[in-house]
């Protein structure tokens, strides 16, 4: 989908709940706040939540309409809002304590290229969290995009995981009103050792 398609969706109505995804919240809530980028932030539910926890959050998305919804929320002044195509946008190298990518689905090579670049935005020890619809969702889950070329899997994320100290790379269930959905999670940190390269 192009930026205009997402603008149209966001113009129609609010797309996501204002609450963070429960797995994002469970993994991130007790980290010490620092600098964070919410990649493809949409309406900014995660960036707004991070800012409430004391993070300096930057929300990047190519849908100006989606970001406008986030900007209209209480606390939005604490978030930096950036309208940009994330395949061409970068944070300064080594500037972030958290990179969050939630439910961004692009074909390859742009998806993997972006994620590998995004690891480089982290400070040593900084946290990387990707969550998105898993390709197994097509056969065994509900909802999400139906094009296997843009769905995640632990195997597809291996070239990103190779750059991280990985705490979790897995397919995980997510309960929805329509049934059980399957997500891929990649949760890790940029290695602190000077020998590690990104
Ligand atoms: C399913 S929404 C997820 C929004 C948000 N991460 C969340 O979890 O609430 C996907 C988002 O990706 C954004 N997006 C898709 N391709 C993009 C690109 N190339 N550059 C920037 N944003 C993009 C869309 O505008 C949309 O807001």
């Amino acid at each position: 989908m192009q930026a205009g398609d997402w603008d149209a969706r966001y113009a129609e109505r609010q797309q996501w709940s204002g609450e963070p995804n429960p797995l994002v919240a469970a993994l991130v809530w007790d980290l010490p706040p620092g600098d964070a980028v919410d990649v493809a932030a949409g309406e900014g539910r995660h960036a707004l939540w991070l800012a409430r926890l004391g993070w300096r959050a930057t929300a990047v998305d190519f849908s100006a309409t989606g970001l406008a919804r986030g900007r209209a929320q209480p606390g939005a002044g604490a978030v930096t809002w950036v309208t940009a195509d994330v395949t061409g946008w970068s944070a300064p190298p080594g500037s972030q304590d958290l990179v969050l990518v939630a439910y961004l689905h692009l074909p390859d090579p742009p998806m993997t290229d972006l994620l590998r670049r995004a690891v480089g935005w982290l400070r040593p020890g900084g946290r990387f969290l990707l969550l998105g619809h898993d390709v197994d969702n097509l056969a065994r889950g509900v909802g999400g995009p139906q094009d296997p070329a843009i769905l995640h899997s632990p195997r597809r994320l291996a070239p990103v995981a190779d750059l991280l100290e990985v705490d979790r790379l897995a397919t995980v269930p997510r309960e929805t009103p329509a049934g059980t959905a399957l997500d891929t999670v990649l949760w890790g940190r940029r290695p602190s050792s000077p020998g590690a390269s990104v």
Side-chain angles (χ1 to χ4, degrees):
M1 283 170 70
Q2 304 302 310
D5 302 317
W6 281 104
D7 279 340
R9 279 186 69 170
Y10 288 124
E12 199 179 309
R13 60 180 170 83
Q14 181 176 337
Q15 293 293 318
W16 327 111
S17 107
E19 296 303 313
N21 170 281
L23 183 54
V24 172
L27 292 172
V28 171
W29 76 271
D30 62 347
L31 295 182
D35 295 290
V37 177
D38 182 3
V39 178
E43 295 156 330
R45 59 177 172 151
H46 294 120
L48 290 160
W49 175 75
L50 287 166
R52 286 200 294 277
L53 293 177
W55 289 79
R56 292 176 295 277
T58 300
V60 189
D61 201 286
F62 66 7
S63 170
T65 310
L67 292 181
R69 285 196 179 276
R71 277 197 178 100
Q73 298 303 311
V79 174
T80 301
W81 303 91
V82 179
T83 306
D85 186 327
V86 290
T87 61
W89 182 88
S90 277
S95 64
Q96 302 297 312
D97 301 292
L98 172 68
V99 169
L100 170 64
V101 187
Y103 301 99
L104 172 64
H105 293 274
L106 302 173
D108 270 325
M111 187 81 239
T112 300
D113 288 352
L114 164 65
L115 296 176
R116 286 178 60 91
R117 264 188 327 106
V119 174
W121 305 341
L122 290 168
R123 298 189 170 105
R127 285 293 193 161
F128 187 95
L129 175 55
L130 175 137
L131 187 63
H133 303 283
D134 190 284
V135 72
D136 279 0
N137 201 52
L138 291 178
R140 302 191 287 117
V142 298
Q146 298 297 298
D147 176 0
I150 62 170
L151 292 169
H152 298 296
S153 67
R155 195 165 71 168
R156 186 191 189 202
L157 290 172
V160 187
D162 282 348
L163 302 176
L164 298 165
E165 289 173 4
V166 174
D167 293 294
R168 198 166 183 198
L169 176 57
T171 301
V172 295
R174 174 172 47 86
E175 297 311 320
T176 81
T180 303
L182 297 177
D183 287 345
T184 312
V185 60
L186 172 56
W187 174 232
R189 68 192 83 194
R190 185 174 179 178
S192 300
S193 62
S197 62
V198 171

